[in-house]
Amino acid sequence: MKLLTAFATVSALALGASAAMAEGAKIFVIGGKADDSFWSIVKRGADDAGKLVAEQGGSVTWLAPQNYDNLGPDAANLIRTAIGQGATAIVGPNWVPEAMDEAFKAVVDAGIPLVIYNAGGLEAADRLGAMNYVGSDDYQTGVSAGAYFATHGQTKLVCVNTLPGAANLEAQCKGLNDGVTANGGTSEVLPLPSTSFGDATAVTQAVAAYLQQNADVTGVYTIGNMDAISANAAIMQAGAVDRVKLGGMNMDQTILDNIKAGTQMFAMDQEGYYQGFLAVTILNNYVNYGLSVPTRQILTGPGIVDASTVDATLAGVAAGVR
């Protein structure tokens, strides 16, 4: 039934696709801040796919909020901006459904092909009438992380969420709880103001204080690599290196170095480069040639990088694609 629904959605968009073929696709991608290390990788994927789009007479435009303080409404405004600027295809994450769904529905109502990526999953793609979802399964990411902690002896966890209200990150924290609970453990959420995202001092101080007040915690999980680096410092500051292990979403050179050094146990990989590259490529091929991918949901994760796999990941990080 879902496959039939997908083809019905694609058929409904076919007229818009044929109209755009002559000039090439005009694809708008809504993503995270330019100085966000994870989103810079997603953008690189979109930009690399955009080279072919440009060769075929089209363009790829990246739209991002200036900060994450008002994430949902700001992202919804970016979606409306893309519509207003004549997008023939749009890629966007369903970060905050209650604030963004109306704007996404306006995309579909305007006959503009839409791919949801990074956040929202297949459920959001189906609900909004999008062609597909490209990205990781956030809930399963959390479940896998919780189970990994538990099987390595950490059964009292805290999920540090510096973007509370973002549905994908709430799903990760819920999954973490379910994953560790299924293995005999427990977890709590430490929600921090969105202004603390990327603020190393604020995150370090908050996590250190939490660990000092909760001496039974044995595992810290973060929702981004910048926060993982801050949490690493917090564990040392709290004098908890011997009892607390660290895991988190996303990675960079510092994260991998920390895994090799043993100061971070693991990182969850969602292959952000593929998210940007595949979402743009799918829409470009659809707009130009009417091609569609019948697979409903293209998953780019989750994967786990730990001491046993870190060396194989370093080349991708050095190239800026992982």
Side-chain angles (χ1 to χ4, degrees), residues 23-31 39 41-64 82 85-92 117 273 275-285 287-288:
E23 299 179 356
K26 190 176 181 181
I27 302 172
F28 281 71
V29 183
I30 287 80
W39 281 102
I41 294 173
V42 180
K43 185 177 185 298
R44 177 163 182 168
D47 288 344
D48 283 354
K51 295 173 185 176
L52 179 59
V53 176
E55 287 180 5
Q56 296 174 346
S59 63
V60 174
T61 302
W62 183 271
L63 299 178
Q85 293 186 5
T88 60
I90 293 176
V91 179
Y117 81 145
Y273 178 88
Q275 293 179 18
F277 185 88
L278 293 175
V280 169
T281 300
I282 288 169
L283 285 173
N284 182 59
N285 287 338
V287 171
N288 286 338

Side-chain angles (χ1 to χ4, degrees), residues 89-114:
I90 293 176
V91 179
N94 194 216
W95 285 318
V96 188
E98 58 269 27
M100 299 174 67
D101 279 6
E102 184 178 349
F104 276 131
K105 289 175 182 176
V107 173
V108 176
D109 289 346
I112 301 170
L114 170 67

